[in-house]
Amino acid sequence: SIKFIVLLLRNQIKLLASLQCMRFWKQMLYKALFFLLAPFFVFSQEYEIKSDLVEIDTEENKLIYSGKVNFTSENISFQAEKLVIMQESEEFLAEGNPVELSYVEGGETIFGISNKLKMISGTIELYGDAELTRSDTKIISETIKINLENDKD
């Protein structure tokens, strides 16, 4: 009778452990889906990111793309060695040697290069040996800030 109770308790413990494991994986699936789908709602326009490697960090709520990273949207594109998307702040941080940017403003394509790029809320910032070329004009600075919100008018 004691052996039966011990056996019954063991089976209940195994069942509870498997249920907890299932809950854990179900939560992980939902977190993974959130991280994969959430970036598509960050900007009002759709975009595509290609890279050699993608890391999903559920603890810090970020996506890390590395290797050869290509970001493409309707008006903005850039190439980098690393791109980190911070989910909560909707911030894109790119690094490269260099990061190569191109975007369309008023029908004209503008090119930029820098060591780092930050994109948040309609603003692009180029950091570290930044250059921006538009037609025959070239701007060189440590930091260049581009406000894309003005392009909506």
Side-chain angles (χ1 to χ4, degrees):
S1 140
I2 293 178
K3 288 182 183 180
F4 176 73
I5 292 172
V6 170
L7 185 62
L8 184 62
L9 286 174
R10 261 192 216 155
N11 287 338
Q12 287 179 344
I13 291 171
K14 286 181 184 177
L15 178 62
L16 285 173
S18 67
L19 287 174
Q20 287 177 340
C21 185
M22 286 174 40
R23 271 192 229 123
F24 170 78
W25 286 111
K26 186 176 179 182
Q27 289 173 346
M28 291 304 292
L29 173 66
Y30 289 138
K31 283 184 178 181
L33 287 174
F34 170 77
F35 279 108
L36 291 173
L37 298 176
F40 293 106
F41 303 106
V42 172
F43 281 71
S44 59
Q45 56 184 332
E46 291 182 21
Y47 60 86
E48 177 181 87
I49 300 172
K50 294 181 182 178
S51 69
D52 295 333
L53 178 67
V54 179
E55 179 183 339
I56 301 170
D57 187 337
T58 58
E59 295 211 6
E60 294 189 27
N61 294 329
K62 63 183 177 180
L63 293 168
I64 304 165
Y65 297 86
S66 58
K68 185 177 178 185
V69 180
N70 289 302
F71 174 95
T72 308
S73 71
E74 184 178 341
N75 295 321
I76 302 168
S77 67
F78 63 82
Q79 292 76 43
E81 294 169 3
K82 181 177 182 181
L83 171 63
V84 177
I85 301 175
M86 306 300 292
Q87 296 294 314
E88 290 181 17
S89 63
E90 299 180 351
E91 185 175 15
F92 290 56
L93 304 167
E95 295 179 11
N97 193 14
V99 175
E100 297 178 7
L101 165 74
S102 66
Y103 70 97
V104 177
E105 179 181 76
E108 182 180 6
T109 303
I110 300 166
F111 300 96
I113 60 170
S114 65
N115 294 327
K116 295 182 180 182
L117 174 146
K118 177 179 174 182
M119 194 163 51
I120 185 169
S121 300
T123 302
I124 298 174
E125 295 181 34
L126 302 173
Y127 296 97
D129 298 325
E131 294 182 15
L132 197 63
T133 305
R134 176 183 206 156
S135 299
D136 294 334
T137 306
K138 186 179 216 176
I139 299 169
I140 300 172
S141 179
E142 186 60 29
T143 303
I144 299 173
K145 185 174 180 179
I146 306 158
N147 187 354
L148 300 174
E149 295 293 318
N150 294 334
D151 294 342
K152 292 181 179 180
D153 298 331

